[in-house]
Amino acid sequence: MAEQYQVSGRTAADIVTSVEAGIRLNHLAPGTTLPPVRRLAADLAVSPATVAAAYRTLRQRGIVETAGRNGTRIRHRPPVAHRAAEPLPDGVLDLTTGEPDASLLPDLTIALARVDTTPRGYAHASVLPVLEQLTRERLLAEGIDGDITVTGGALDGIDRVLSAHLGPGDLVGIEDPCWANLRDLIAALGQRMVPVPVDECGPTPEGSPRRFDTAPRPSSSPAEHRTPPEWT
């Protein structure tokens, strides 16, 4: 842990707040190892159970990860707002946000003028028929049939699937490499990631079964996401 920052607090919630503040102020960098439970407990004059509870909460929030004998350390991308990052050099684009270039998007003025603006409540909420038809045709062409649910983006959809079918500690197969925000989501859900090798068609048949056969808990839900499309 950086010498200029000392984790503080008398309760588990206080310790969690202190660690989050250290990350937010750039005093605890990604990869920084936090003090062992008993050492921090002695430094703060609290019980080891209090520190353990704080570390458990931080782990459930996806802020820290347990690295075996290497202790507990700050994750590479903890979901805590940092101070404003340094501006990028000229000619460098930040692709980590997945944000499209607005100048390349089409003008929707004409299309929006044809949208039905009749007010509707939750009781009448449904998938637009034309969207459902196009989606079903595309999925059927790939041999996929079933109900269609529209979510607020890929990450929202993956979140719903993982939350519905898996719990903390379960395994999730992810493409290697994969979208960084997906890693953050899985960590925040308290689930464990198993990198699966991929080729141009997706996860390889040889790599997927082998990775899960050797896992201690074989419950899994492979997830795939590329941003931008077809880029990894």
Side-chain angles (χ1 to χ4, degrees):
M1 184 178 64
E3 294 182 359
Q4 68 270 24
Y5 189 81
Q6 174 62 49
V7 176
S8 61
R10 298 292 299 172
T11 67
D14 291 341
I15 295 172
V16 170
T17 300
S18 177
V19 172
E20 291 179 337
I23 297 172
R24 190 174 296 109
L25 297 174
N26 295 327
H27 294 323
L28 293 176
T32 298
T33 300
L34 297 178
V37 169
R38 294 189 180 277
R39 183 195 305 171
L40 183 58
D43 291 342
L44 301 180
V46 299
S47 73
T50 298
V51 178
Y55 281 11
R56 182 169 58 251
T57 298
L58 290 167
R59 188 164 53 250
Q60 291 172 344
R61 293 184 182 180
I63 295 173
V64 303
E65 60 187 358
T66 301
R69 294 184 178 180
N70 294 325
T72 301
R73 62 190 180 191
I74 307 298
R75 291 190 64 247
H76 178 61
R77 284 168 51 96
V80 176
H82 290 73
R83 283 180 173 176
E86 294 294 327
L88 296 174
D90 292 338
V92 177
L93 296 177
D94 182 3
L95 300 179
T96 63
T97 63
E99 186 71 17
D101 185 343
S103 65
L104 300 178
L105 299 178
D107 184 356
L108 300 178
T109 304
I110 298 178
L112 291 176
R114 298 196 298 265
V115 173
D116 182 3
T117 59
T118 303
R120 291 181 173 86
Y122 291 120
H124 301 91
S126 63
V127 180
L128 290 175
V130 63
L131 175 60
E132 181 176 6
Q133 178 183 351
L134 293 174
T135 302
R136 191 174 299 281
E137 290 175 355
R138 178 171 179 177
L139 293 177
L140 287 175
E142 299 182 11
I144 302 173
D145 191 12
D147 296 331
I148 295 176
T149 299
V150 178
T151 64
L155 200 62
D156 179 33
I158 295 173
D159 184 5
R160 292 170 184 267
V161 170
L162 296 181
S163 299
H165 296 282
L166 298 178
D170 285 340
L171 300 179
V172 181
I174 61 172
E175 291 187 325
D176 185 21
C178 86
W179 189 30
N181 288 350
L182 177 57
R183 291 179 175 271
D184 293 341
L185 170 63
I186 296 172
L189 293 175
Q191 297 161 0
R192 294 181 292 159
M193 289 166 276
V194 178
V196 176
V198 297
D199 56 22
E200 64 276 6
C201 297
T204 63
E206 300 80 10
S208 302
R210 183 169 63 254
R211 299 307 300 272
F212 288 104
D213 287 345
T214 58
R217 295 184 62 186
S219 177
S220 63
S221 176
E224 174 181 352
H225 187 96
R226 292 189 179 94
T227 302
E230 303 305 325
W231 290 13
T232 303

